[in-house]
C-alpha cells in the first residue's frame, strides 16, 4: 500500500482517471469544461450562453436576449422601477 506522497505533481491527467473515480465535497478550479452538468443548485453571478453575439444572459440585473449584432432584443430587469423592454414584434397567429 502506498500513500499520496508517491504521486508526482502534474502526473494525474483526465486519461488516467476512471469514470466515477473522483468524489469530493468541494472542488476549486479556474475552469471546468464538459458536455453536461447536473445538480440540485447552481449559484453564479452571471450565466451566459456566449461572450458576445447572439446569446442569453442572466445576472443580478435581470434577463437579456441579444441578437448576432450584439443588440439587446429583450431586457427583463430585476429592479422594480426599471421597465422591461423588447425590440421584438409580436404577431397574432391565425
Amino acid at each position: 500500500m502506498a500513500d499520496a506522497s508517491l504521486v508526482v505533481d502534474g502526473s494525474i491527467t483526465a486519461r488516467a482517471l476512471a469514470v466515477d473515480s473522483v468524489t469530493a465535497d468541494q472542488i476549486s478550479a479556474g475552469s471546468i469544461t464538459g458536455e453536461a452538468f447536473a445538480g440540485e443548485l447552481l449559484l453564479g453571478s452571471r450565466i451566459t450562453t456566449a461572450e458576445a453575439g447572439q446569446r442569453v444572459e442572466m445576472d443580478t440585473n435581470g434577463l437579456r436576449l441579444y441578437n448576432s449584432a450584439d443588440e439587446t432584443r429583450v431586457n427583463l430587469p430585476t429592479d422594480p422601477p426599471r421597465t422591461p423592454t423588447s425590440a421584438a414584434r409580436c404577431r397574432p397567429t391565425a
Side-chain angles (χ1 to χ4, degrees):
M1 187 90 185
D3 64 28
S5 66
L6 297 176
V7 176
V8 178
D9 283 347
S11 66
I12 297 177
T13 65
R15 290 185 180 91
L17 298 175
V19 174
D20 295 327
S21 66
V22 177
T23 59
D25 290 334
Q26 185 175 4
I27 297 174
S28 178
S31 175
I32 298 175
T33 302
E35 291 293 317
F37 295 92
E40 197 170 308
L41 174 66
L42 171 64
L43 297 174
S45 59
R46 179 175 167 238
I47 298 172
T48 184
T49 58
E51 287 297 317
Q54 187 176 359
R55 67 191 182 280
V56 176
E57 286 188 359
M58 183 172 58
D59 57 24
T60 57
N61 293 316
L63 177 69
R64 290 164 309 284
L65 284 66
Y66 295 87
N67 64 13
S68 58
D70 233 13
E71 300 165 331
T72 305
R73 301 297 292 161
V74 175
N75 182 20
L76 303 174
T78 54
D79 188 4
R82 295 191 59 212
T83 303
T85 60
S86 173
R89 284 177 270 158
C90 297
R91 292 182 232 162
T93 57

